[in-house]
């Protein structure tokens, strides 16, 4: 199977459309949460993923948009954006988000937003965290998001090594144990403003990261028009 994995789309429709175009035909779409919030197109992004039949998991921003008290931990501009999203999303969007589980296993792959120790909150940025998460899930192949930075963690004894996951370079998975992060479609934070996505070829055991340019200006205009905090528009062009 050829599978497209996206994460942290954050209601950025031009970024998602560019990824869909770049990926082309696939057998399935999976996502690792944070479908909405920050960006100006929550209903449009959910409708697009629903039409693609995407399967995935709940992110902390999806939970906050549904009314979770998690919003209290957000910084002021994130709280402002979340309240905008809560007011704006349709009943259909709310219902689709509300059905997302915190963890899922699809075709032998385990999916989570943050980590398997703490599905909504933990940022996996160190090998020890990745290894602990892999131990909790017990899955040989797993996917996460939340950091907005593409990463490939490979289990190494009780630890995990961070392998480079660069655009266009394919990673051979072999028989190793992996915890892969596709990066963010709608708000990358690795100083590369291009949308990120991961394509899995499960027959060949290969994962390939895509970085896709998109019309950042359109999203920025829509963020400003919506009255969302200006920092959410500004950061997109810096990839932060
Ligand atoms: Zn996010």
């Amino acid at each position: 199977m050829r599978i497209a994995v996206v994460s942290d789309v954050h209601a950025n429709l031009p970024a998602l459309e560019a990824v869909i175009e770049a990926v082309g035909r696939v057998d399935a779409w999976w996502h690792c949460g944070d479908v909405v919030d920050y960006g100006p197109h929550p209903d449009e992004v959910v409708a697009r993923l629903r039409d693609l039949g995407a399967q995935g998991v709940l992110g902390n921003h999806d939970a906050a948009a549904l009314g979770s008290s998690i919003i209290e931990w957000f910084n002021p501009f994130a709280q402002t954006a979340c309240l905008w999203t809560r007011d704006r999303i349709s009943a259909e969007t709310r219902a689709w988000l509300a059905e997302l589980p915190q963890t899922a296993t699809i075709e032998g792959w385990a999916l989570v937003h943050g980590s398997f120790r703490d599905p909504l909150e933990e940022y996996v940025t160190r090998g020890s965290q990745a290894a602990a998460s892999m131990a909790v899930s017990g899955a040989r192949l797993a996917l996460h998001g939340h950091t907005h930075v593409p990463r490939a963690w490979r289990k190494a004894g009780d630890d995990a090594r961070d392998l480079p996951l660069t655009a266009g370079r394919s990673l051979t998975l072999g028989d190793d144990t992996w915890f892969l992060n596709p990066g963010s479609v709608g708000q990358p934070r690795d100083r590369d403003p291009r949308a990120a996505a991961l394509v899995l070829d499960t027959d060949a055991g290969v994962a390939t990261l895509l970085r896709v340019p998109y019309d950042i200006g359109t999203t920025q205009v829509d963020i400003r028009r919506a009255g969302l905090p200006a920092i959410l528009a500004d950061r997109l062009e810096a990839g932060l």
Side-chain angles (χ1 to χ4, degrees):
M1 288 178 80
R2 192 163 180 269
I3 297 151
V5 187
V6 292
S7 190
D8 298 273
V9 180
H10 280 294
N12 184 339
L13 186 66
L16 179 61
E17 291 290 4
V19 165
I20 292 168
E21 174 83 24
V23 163
R25 270 181 67 96
V26 286
D27 299 300
W29 283 85
W30 299 347
H31 71 85
C32 293
D34 277 9
V35 174
V36 301
D37 209 13
Y38 287 149
H41 315 116
D43 286 340
E44 295 88 338
V45 160
V46 165
R48 200 70 173 95
L49 289 176
R50 190 203 295 123
D51 289 348
L52 290 167
Q55 295 176 275
V57 290
L58 187 76
N60 58 318
H61 284 266
D62 305 317
L66 289 170
S68 166
S69 59
I70 251 174
I71 191 175
E72 291 164 21
W73 297 93
F74 287 2
N75 63 42
F77 70 79
Q79 287 190 356
T80 301
C82 185
L83 293 173
W84 181 91
T85 303
R86 281 183 182 177
D87 272 356
R88 150 93 190 217
I89 55 175
S90 68
E92 291 79 12
T93 294
R94 192 174 292 278
W96 189 86
L97 293 171
E99 286 191 0
L100 296 174
Q102 290 198 3
T103 62
T105 302
I106 316 169
E107 302 285 342
W109 288 75
L111 276 68
V112 72
H113 181 62
S115 82
F116 291 99
R117 293 197 295 194
D118 186 344
L120 294 185
E121 296 285 359
E122 185 179 17
Y123 290 89
V124 174
T125 58
R126 297 194 308 273
S128 57
Q129 293 175 298
S133 195
M134 291 154 129
V136 169
S137 87
R140 189 177 74 78
L141 300 166
L143 296 156
H144 72 111
H146 196 38
T147 65
H148 297 212
V149 176
R151 285 265 172 108
W153 301 102
R154 185 172 66 189
K155 191 174 185 306
D158 293 335
D159 205 347
R161 296 251 169 79
D162 178 7
L163 272 79
L165 192 54
T166 47
R169 285 259 300 275
S170 292
L171 192 69
T172 301
L173 302 176
D175 294 326
D176 290 320
T177 298
W178 294 93
F179 198 22
L180 304 178
N181 186 334
S184 170
V185 171
Q187 194 191 84
R189 294 181 189 162
D190 59 348
R191 297 181 183 275
D192 181 343
R194 296 176 297 171
L198 197 64
V199 176
L200 305 175
D201 181 333
T202 58
D203 299 325
V206 166
T208 307
L209 185 76
L210 305 183
R211 295 308 291 257
V212 185
Y214 72 96
D215 184 1
I216 293 173
T218 294
T219 301
Q220 290 177 315
V221 166
D222 289 350
I223 286 172
R224 293 183 184 118
R225 270 200 196 130
L228 285 160
I231 186 177
L232 295 172
D234 298 340
R235 69 189 302 175
L236 292 179
E237 65 196 53
L240 285 173

